[in-house]
Amino acid sequence: MKPFFAVLLLVCLVLTSSFFELTMAGSEFCDSKCEARCAKAGVKDRCLKYCGICCEKCNCVPSGTYGNKDECPCYRDMKNSKGKPKCP
């Protein structure tokens, strides 16, 4: 009887982690816009992370790989804890 519960617990953990990964995935819109925005970034994973955070909050990403932040005032005006621009 104990092996049954161990297997059941293991299956539940696997299913829960799979569901968690799906819910943590960004939206299709933000993923594609941030991929384009961060195409030339030196540290691409960090660019994608912060772009995704900004996109989810603002629902927009400026066009191009740099600049054009006037297209998205929310994206442009978001600051980090040090008062510097948060969004790439």
Side-chain angles (χ1 to χ4, degrees):
M1 197 62 150
K2 286 184 181 181
F4 173 76
F5 287 114
V7 170
L8 183 63
L9 180 62
L10 183 62
V11 168
C12 288
L13 287 172
V14 169
L15 291 175
T16 303
S17 67
S18 298
F19 178 73
F20 183 70
E21 283 184 32
L22 289 175
T23 59
M24 291 300 293
S27 70
E28 186 73 29
F29 171 79
C30 289
D31 289 348
S32 63
K33 293 289 187 178
C34 288
E35 186 66 37
R37 181 77 178 172
C38 297
K40 295 183 180 180
V43 186
K44 192 171 183 175
D45 58 335
R46 185 167 48 190
C47 180
L48 289 170
K49 175 184 175 183
Y50 288 107
C51 180
I53 291 169
C54 296
C55 179
E56 291 295 326
K57 288 185 180 178
C58 299
N59 294 317
C60 72
V61 175
S63 61
T65 57
Y66 184 81
N68 304 324
K69 288 188 176 183
D70 288 334
E71 296 174 3
C72 301
C74 169
Y75 191 97
R76 175 194 65 211
D77 298 337
M78 201 176 296
K79 306 289 184 200
N80 65 17
S81 60
K82 296 178 183 175
K84 296 187 178 192
K86 180 173 192 149
C87 308

